[in-house]
């Protein structure tokens, strides 16, 4: 008799818990649907950024977007936006969009490149697993600003449990109705969004090639790989595509310059193409360079020269893939000046030249993923990259809490020390 009462009691408790679970799920579905509708309205409410002498990119004979200019080209690098896309992340999502809008309106870049983790639909923080609404909000927002932009993907943009696959999110960004989005996908390559944007001068010479490359997500498609932080890397066919594209552009320049009157002057300047590469997960050389610098007492070595910034992450510091890739070696082999721009490790903001290659972390936007990160500010901002007419480039990081970005909606934060050991 007593056993029956216990079983009956347990049944009642389980039934109550089931009803609560169903009720919470239904509430979240309805609340998130309402929130995402309002989020799109908010994203569409931003004023267009007016830029004088805006360079309008056009597609070349190979179908690549191309900026043609004899002046400097300004690129803004953003990373790790982390829009939750759920009713619980409304405050953080709003702050993220306000931050980007202010920086874009002040800097007025010719191109904005976002290196992944635009979406962060993690249930316990945003109550959402549908990863499409954050991307819809972000695309609507960027189109509203009226600046040219493109994206690469991060590991959080399409988790194994997400409603939409990476390929489906890629298809969304490929929408021809977007006026300012320069996203393109090469379906012959591993990953999504592997593309190149060229910069040409008025003579038609390619002065710089800007690559967006998918550094992919995890080594597998399941929970174990995600929880173990087993990150994937840039695959062999992607590296070969990058190499071939650079070689083809070099050949294009060589043939074009041969037809020009001042060919003897131009050929030495442009026979080795300079490139900028944007992807999410850092390659292993970020860690190699940083630890060589640290082990030398936080002083430059022959190979590792710190340009600015520091590493604020703990543990492994640089969370790259443990799988090998040949991207760094390929850049060295090609010659020319090359730079890479990544995100992923939100508290790292260093830029270091390693064996002649410039390796740079972008400042993150994230208000959601790291614990209490919305209250901290040293890691938040953008990287401004200036591509010079001769194809060389400079870059500088711009913290969001500078006076030039001040506005009524900007939050108060603590400007934490990212790496006390380096002080």
């Amino acid at each position: 008799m007593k056993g029956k009462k216990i079983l009956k009691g347990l049944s009642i408790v389980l039934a109550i818990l089931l009803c609560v679970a169903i009720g919470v799920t239904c509430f979240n579905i309805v609340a998130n649907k309402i929130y995402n509708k309002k989020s799109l309205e908010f994203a569409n409410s931003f004023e267009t950024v007016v830029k004088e002498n805006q360079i309008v990119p056009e597609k070349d004979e190979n179908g690549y977007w191309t900026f043609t200019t004899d002046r400097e080209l300004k690129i803004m690098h953003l990373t790790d936006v982390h829009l939750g896309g759920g009713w619980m992340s409304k405050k953080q999502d709003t702050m993220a969009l306000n931050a980007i809008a202010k920086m874009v309106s002040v800097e007025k870049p010719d191109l904005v490149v976002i290196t992944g983790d635009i979406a962060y639909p993690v249930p316990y923080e945003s109550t959402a697993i549908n990863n499409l609404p954050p991307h819809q909000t972000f695309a609507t927002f960027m189109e509203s600003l009226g600046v040219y932009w493109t994206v690469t993907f991060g590991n959080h943009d399409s988790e194994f449990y997400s409603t939409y696959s990476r390929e489906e999110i890629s298809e969304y960004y490929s929408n021809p109705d977007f006026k300012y989005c320069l996203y393109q996908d090469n379906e012959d390559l591993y990953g999504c969004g592997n593309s190149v944007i060229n910069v040409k001068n008025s003579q038609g010479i390619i002065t710089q090639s800007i690559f967006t490359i998918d550094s992919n997500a995890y080594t597998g498609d399941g929970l174990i790989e995600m929880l173990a932080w087993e990150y994937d890397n840039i695959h062999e066919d992607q590296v070969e595509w990058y190499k071939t594209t650079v070689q083809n552009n070099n050949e294009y320049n060589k043939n074009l310059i041969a037809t020009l009157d001042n060919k003897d002057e131009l050929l030495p300047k442009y026979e080795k193409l300079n490139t900028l590469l944007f992807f999410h997960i850092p390659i292993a050389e970020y860690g190699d360079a940083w630890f060589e610098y640290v082990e030398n007492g936080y002083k430059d070595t022959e190979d590792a020269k710190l340009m600015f910034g520091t590493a604020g992450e703990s543990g492994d510091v640089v969370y790259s893939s443990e799988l090998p890739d040949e991207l760094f070696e390929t850049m060295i082999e090609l010659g020319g000046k090359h730079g890479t721009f990544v995100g992923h490790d939100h508290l790292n903001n260093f830029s270091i030249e390693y064996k002649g290659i410039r390796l740079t972390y972008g400042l993150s936007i994230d208000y959601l993923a790291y614990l209490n990160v919305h209250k901290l500010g040293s890691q938040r901002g953008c990287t401004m990259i200036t591509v010079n007419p001769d194809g060389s480039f400079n870059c500088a990081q711009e913290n969001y809490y500078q006076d030039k970005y001040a506005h009524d909606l900007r939050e108060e934060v603590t400007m934490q020390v990212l790496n006390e050991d380096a002080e």
Side-chain angles (χ1 to χ4, degrees), residues 31-327:
N32 286 344
K33 188 173 183 179
I34 294 171
Y35 166 68
N36 286 316
K37 181 180 178 180
K38 291 185 177 297
S39 181
L40 283 173
E41 292 173 355
F42 176 66
N44 203 36
S45 69
F46 288 86
E47 293 184 3
T48 299
V49 175
V50 178
K51 178 180 176 63
E52 295 182 4
N53 302 317
Q54 173 67 59
I55 308 168
V56 178
E58 297 180 348
K59 287 186 178 179
D60 66 10
E61 62 275 10
N62 296 313
Y64 298 142
W65 286 109
T66 303
F67 287 88
T68 300
T69 181
D70 289 322
R71 68 162 173 83
E72 296 175 342
L73 187 83
K74 288 179 64 176
I75 301 172
M76 175 182 284
H77 172 214
L78 301 171
T79 193
D80 295 88
V81 180
H82 282 250
L83 298 180
W87 65 272
M88 277 185 60
S89 65
K90 176 182 177 181
K91 179 180 178 180
Q92 293 93 330
D93 292 355
T94 299
M95 289 191 290
L97 296 184
N98 282 335
I100 295 172
K102 186 60 181 181
M103 291 188 290
V104 170
S105 68
V106 171
E107 299 295 348
K108 295 178 170 54
D110 297 296
L111 174 66
V112 179
V113 183
I114 306 95
T115 53
D117 280 7
I118 294 166
Y120 189 69
V122 176
Y124 66 86
E125 291 194 82
S126 68
T127 69
I129 62 171
N130 190 341
N131 55 332
L132 180 59
H135 289 289
Q136 291 174 320
T137 293
F138 188 76
T140 300
F141 165 71
M142 291 302 298
E143 290 291 295
S144 180
L145 292 180
V147 294
Y148 291 102
W149 61 284
T150 190
V151 305
T152 66
F153 295 130
N155 50 296
H156 290 303
D157 286 310
S158 57
E159 300 283 13
F160 78 95
Y161 58 79
S162 296
T163 307
Y164 291 86
S165 69
R166 208 174 192 81
E167 289 75 19
E168 289 171 321
I169 298 299
S170 175
E171 185 177 349
Y172 171 74
Y173 280 111
S174 301
N175 188 340
D177 291 337
F178 290 140
K179 183 177 179 181
Y180 298 99
C181 182
L182 305 186
Y183 178 88
Q184 291 183 300
D185 184 34
N186 188 330
E187 295 181 355
D188 294 331
L189 299 175
Y190 195 92
C192 299
N194 300 292
S195 184
V196 61
I197 298 171
N198 289 322
V199 182
K200 291 183 178 180
N201 62 23
S202 58
Q203 292 179 293
I205 299 171
I206 301 173
T207 58
Q208 177 67 253
S209 286
I210 302 161
F211 287 85
T212 58
I213 301 177
D214 190 356
S215 54
N216 302 296
Y218 306 101
T219 56
D221 298 325
L223 178 64
I224 294 175
E225 292 85 0
M226 184 187 76
L227 294 178
W229 295 352
E230 294 180 0
Y231 297 117
D232 204 348
N233 67 346
I234 297 171
H235 288 224
E236 183 178 352
D237 66 325
Q238 296 171 282
V239 175
E240 187 61 32
W241 162 77
Y242 162 71
K243 178 180 179 179
T244 301
T245 303
V246 172
Q247 291 174 332
N248 289 342
N249 284 354
N250 284 335
E251 188 67 19
Y252 167 88
N253 278 348
K254 179 181 176 181
N255 293 335
L256 174 63
I257 290 171
T259 68
L260 303 177
D261 293 337
N262 54 342
K263 58 185 177 183
D264 293 336
E265 174 190 348
L266 293 174
L267 189 57
K269 290 175 62 176
Y270 298 113
E271 65 178 346
K272 300 286 187 182
L273 187 68
N274 298 333
T275 66
L276 302 176
L277 291 77
F278 294 85
F279 47 94
H280 182 70
I281 300 172
I283 52 178
E285 284 75 14
Y286 274 76
D288 296 341
W290 176 252
F291 286 115
E292 182 171 317
Y293 171 76
V294 171
E295 289 166 6
N296 196 45
Y298 288 92
K299 295 179 181 178
D300 291 347
T301 69
E302 182 178 351
D303 286 336
K305 298 175 176 60
L306 185 69
M307 312 307 288
F308 57 74
T310 191
E313 294 285 345
S314 58
D316 292 340
V317 181
V318 173
Y319 290 89
S320 58
S321 174
E322 294 184 3
L323 300 175
D325 68 72
E326 296 296 320
L327 182 62

